[in-house]
Amino acid sequence: MSIKVTRKESASRFLGLVVNKTVFLSAISVIIFSVGFTLIFEQEAEHYFGIAQTFVSAHGGWIYTLAVNLFIVFCLYMAFSKFGAIRIGGEKSKPEFSLWAWFAMLFSAGIGNGLVLFSIADPVRDFLNPPRLAGQEPALIAQEAINFSFLHHGIHGWAIYSVVGLSLAYFTFNRKMPLTLRSAFYPLLGNRIHGWMGDLIDIMAVITTLFGLATTIGFGVGQINSGLTHVFGIPNALFYQVLIILGVTLAATISAFSGVNKGVQMLSKLNVRVASAIFLLVLILGPTTFIFKSYIQNIGSYLVHFVDMSTWTESLQGTDWQKTRTIMYWGWWISWSPFVGTFIARISRGRTIKEFVLCVLILPALVTFLWFSAFGGTTMRDILLGDTAMIAAVNDNISTALYVFFDKFPLAMLLKVLGVILICSFIITSADSGALVVDSITSGGKLKTPRYQRVIWAVATGLIAAVLMYGGGLNALQTVVTISGLPFAILLVMMCFSLYRGINEDYDKSERQEKLLERESYRKNILDLVNKEREEKNLKKIDPETQPKKKPNITDI
């Protein structure tokens, strides 16, 4: 099912770039103003942004909770309904990448360095500050800490990415529309997406993507520096962090110049391979049986409490735990969804909707759960056995918690080096794929643009991170990214309705066309039979040999 929609060409030449000038100039202006404001008025910015975050958490948290659960229901419906067999790009479309390469890229872009940073820190922090079981048996608190880590890093987050990715992939490859967020709202807004409404949606996507990437790179660089300090004794100082940003930016620039088929794919495969090596070493050198047992138990406990945790809004407790945990994560996932969703859409041509949903929604979550069970689960076990080293490490600096964890294993130095490589690779992949996405949005959704445009955005992301790290303001912008998730959550709900309307319209049109073709084929077959019978009768009249011989009459004898 591939239906082309007539659209207005929005990209044009500007200073040698192929861009939508309105989106490009507006996004650049807002970014420069925001960065300048947070640098000049850092304390004031953090104060007022903090007030805004508190307000959003107190009065808008229920919207987040309702929305992320709706996304899961919607994705599963799309996969197992009549739409599940629809192929992205049309019936004859074939996948551009192998299943392994496709999963590696979507997983690397979507999970980032959070897999490494929070797999130990989150269970420990939630054990020390339980959301609901304070004063209960420590084993129960530890299990719930793992459950909430699964909640924050599992199916809900990937459902957010699935909604954006599936919507953009369908409208881009099936309706032949540009790869920008505005395209996903065509069934609701019609041709108005080519005007100021569409421009506003794309501007919000560019700003959110760049700020989200810049803050993630900034904090990730701090994690890299902490690792280098812990492993090699390199000082944890601003000078070295700026050098790391320059190195990450250079690597991301080279990869962005290479494109998706080379740079991003190579880095993504490297991420998965290094992560697999680290996991296998921990599995073999650590408590192997315990990791497998805890993985099964953790998934079971997560599923048993899934609905309860997913719909818990802290309404009767009167506490603010969710503000710094669940709501923060939902805002973070949603703020990253324009970037990750667009990137996943870019690489998903040829997949069926059912294959897309199951691979994007379920598979990354299962891999994440296994990683958290190995690292967070083992840490919980050690804490229950009386080892408080990881508690001290997390309280001191969550960026070094992973390296303290590796000290418990043989080949600790090898694990630490691999850990630094993995974090670097994840951040470079995020910066690289982010540059590709921003370039696509600002160019009016073009899949192929001059290579130097991608390089510009890769450099811009690194520059924003370096400036904010040098002058302060990363914490303030991280809060802004979290707050910006609320209007995007509402937009994503609208996107669900838009995708359903669009795909249902196309499905009905396709069915009507098939019925018309069947009727036409049936009518043609009937006509062919009638014509054949007429031809046979005509032949019989013309050719006497075809006539049956007349029996002789007695009177003729």
Side-chain angles (χ1 to χ4, degrees):
M1 190 188 328
S2 181
I3 299 176
K4 187 172 183 177
V5 176
T6 303
R7 65 182 178 90
K8 184 180 75 173
E9 186 62 46
S10 60
S12 60
R13 286 281 177 180
F14 177 72
L15 299 177
L17 305 174
V18 180
V19 295
N20 179 321
K21 287 192 289 186
T22 303
V23 174
F24 178 81
L25 293 176
S26 300
I28 289 292
S29 300
V30 172
I31 289 166
I32 293 174
F33 173 79
S34 301
V35 171
F37 178 78
T38 53
L39 289 177
I40 298 171
F41 305 102
E42 181 187 356
Q43 293 183 351
E44 291 85 350
E46 288 195 17
H47 173 69
Y48 288 111
F49 290 157
I51 293 175
Q53 184 186 29
T54 301
F55 180 83
V56 167
S57 301
H59 301 285
W62 66 272
I63 298 177
Y64 276 125
T65 302
L66 183 63
V68 294
N69 286 292
L70 173 65
F71 298 150
I72 294 178
V73 174
F74 176 77
C75 289
L76 292 176
Y77 170 77
M78 294 301 292
F80 294 102
S81 68
K82 60 184 179 181
F83 306 129
I86 295 174
R87 190 170 296 276
I88 297 171
E91 294 180 1
K92 297 181 180 179
S93 181
K94 294 182 179 180
E96 185 178 358
F97 304 97
S98 67
L99 185 62
W100 150 247
W102 178 57
F103 174 75
M105 286 191 285
L106 71 88
F107 183 78
S108 297
I111 201 66
N113 62 315
L115 182 72
V116 182
L117 181 63
F118 297 114
S119 58
I120 294 173
D122 273 11
V124 171
R125 289 188 296 184
D126 294 344
F127 178 80
L128 298 176
N129 181 26
R132 302 187 297 185
L133 298 179
Q136 298 293 319
E137 185 181 343
L140 296 177
I141 298 175
Q143 183 63 67
E144 185 168 72
I146 295 291
N147 291 347
F148 271 96
S149 293
F150 279 21
L151 176 73
H152 296 152
H153 299 273
I155 293 174
H156 286 82
W158 287 99
I160 296 169
Y161 291 165
S162 297
V163 167
V164 180
L166 181 59
S167 297
L168 293 180
Y170 183 80
F171 287 106
T172 299
F173 296 119
N174 291 66
R175 286 206 175 188
K176 313 303 179 187
M177 300 183 71
L179 184 58
T180 62
L181 252 70
R182 70 175 74 196
S183 297
F185 296 93
Y186 184 83
L188 294 182
L189 301 179
N191 288 326
R192 284 173 291 183
I193 67 166
H194 303 308
W196 67 269
M197 289 185 179
D199 289 339
L200 181 61
I201 292 171
D202 284 346
I203 290 167
M204 290 176 61
V206 171
I207 293 170
T208 305
T209 297
L210 282 176
F211 282 160
L213 283 171
T215 51
T216 298
I217 290 172
F219 289 114
V221 164
Q223 189 182 8
I224 294 172
N225 197 177
S226 297
L228 294 175
T229 301
H230 189 86
V231 179
F232 302 109
I234 296 175
N236 194 340
L238 179 62
F239 172 76
Y240 292 99
Q241 292 174 0
V242 172
L243 286 181
I244 293 169
I245 288 181
L246 292 176
V248 168
T249 303
L250 177 61
T253 300
I254 295 172
S255 180
F257 188 81
S258 302
V260 177
N261 291 315
K262 293 182 180 178
V264 178
Q265 185 175 178
M266 181 187 70
L267 283 171
S268 299
K269 288 182 177 179
L270 175 64
N271 293 338
V272 174
R273 285 167 180 160
V274 174
S276 299
I278 293 174
F279 172 78
L280 289 174
L281 285 172
V282 170
L283 181 67
I284 295 170
L285 300 174
T288 307
T289 302
F290 169 81
I291 291 173
F292 284 125
K293 288 172 63 178
S294 67
Y295 181 53
I296 296 172
Q297 177 175 311
N298 293 337
I299 289 179
S301 181
Y302 166 70
L303 292 176
V304 167
H305 297 93
F306 182 83
V307 175
D308 177 34
M309 292 189 301
S310 300
T311 56
W312 181 57
T313 58
E314 217 172 17
S315 57
L316 298 178
Q317 281 79 0
T319 56
D320 60 353
W321 181 90
Q322 280 192 322
K323 181 182 76 172
T324 57
R325 285 292 189 274
T326 306
I327 302 304
M328 184 273 292
Y329 272 118
W330 294 163
W332 210 344
W333 282 95
I334 290 172
S335 67
W336 262 54
S337 63
F339 149 51
V340 179
T342 304
F343 181 75
I344 293 175
R346 167 67 181 82
I347 62 175
S348 297
R349 186 203 299 263
R351 307 290 173 184
T352 65
I353 289 179
K354 185 174 184 179
E355 181 184 11
F356 179 97
V357 169
L358 294 182
C359 286
V360 177
L361 182 67
I362 305 298
L363 195 55
L366 291 176
V367 174
T368 301
F369 295 164
L370 183 59
W371 183 279
F372 269 74
S373 295
F375 290 80
T378 300
T379 300
M380 288 293 98
R381 185 202 66 159
D382 293 343
I383 291 174
L384 293 176
L385 292 175
D387 186 354
T388 60
M390 293 309 302
I391 293 178
V394 170
N395 286 335
D396 180 51
N397 184 356
I398 64 172
S399 296
T400 61
L402 178 71
Y403 308 107
V404 175
F405 176 80
F406 287 151
D407 282 331
K408 302 174 180 291
F409 296 86
L411 303 177
M413 181 58 69
L414 174 61
L415 286 167
K416 292 176 183 179
V417 172
L418 289 174
V420 173
I421 293 173
L422 181 62
I423 297 168
C424 290
S425 184
F426 267 134
I427 293 176
I428 293 169
T429 305
S430 296
D432 178 11
S433 49
L436 291 169
V437 167
V438 173
D439 180 43
S440 175
I441 297 173
T442 55
S443 65
K446 291 184 177 296
L447 296 179
K448 293 184 179 180
T449 56
R451 292 183 177 183
Y452 61 84
Q453 288 190 200
R454 301 193 293 268
V455 171
I456 290 173
W457 288 115
V459 172
T461 305
L463 186 62
I464 294 170
V467 170
L468 290 173
M469 182 166 286
Y470 177 78
L474 278 174
N475 287 316
L477 276 187
Q478 185 185 29
T479 305
V480 171
V481 170
T482 304
I483 295 170
S484 68
L486 185 60
F488 253 106
I490 298 172
L491 273 179
L492 295 189
V493 172
M494 293 173 60
M495 188 180 288
C496 291
F497 287 105
S498 183
L499 175 60
Y500 174 79
R501 176 181 289 185
I503 204 169
N504 193 54
E505 288 174 356
D506 294 348
Y507 189 89
D508 289 344
K509 288 179 183 177
S510 179
E511 279 201 326
R512 286 197 297 269
Q513 289 174 357
E514 288 180 2
K515 288 180 179 178
L516 286 173
L517 289 174
E518 287 179 1
R519 290 175 183 174
E520 184 63 28
S521 177
Y522 179 75
R523 180 173 171 274
K524 186 176 179 299
N525 290 334
I526 296 297
L527 288 175
D528 288 344
L529 289 173
V530 171
N531 290 333
K532 187 176 180 181
E533 288 183 0
R534 287 177 179 174
E535 288 177 1
E536 290 178 351
K537 288 181 179 179
N538 291 333
L539 285 174
K540 290 177 181 179
K541 290 179 180 179
I542 295 172
D543 187 358
E545 293 184 1
T546 61
Q547 298 288 337
K549 291 184 178 181
K550 186 178 179 181
K551 293 183 179 181
N553 200 320
I554 299 176
T555 58
D556 296 334
I557 300 176

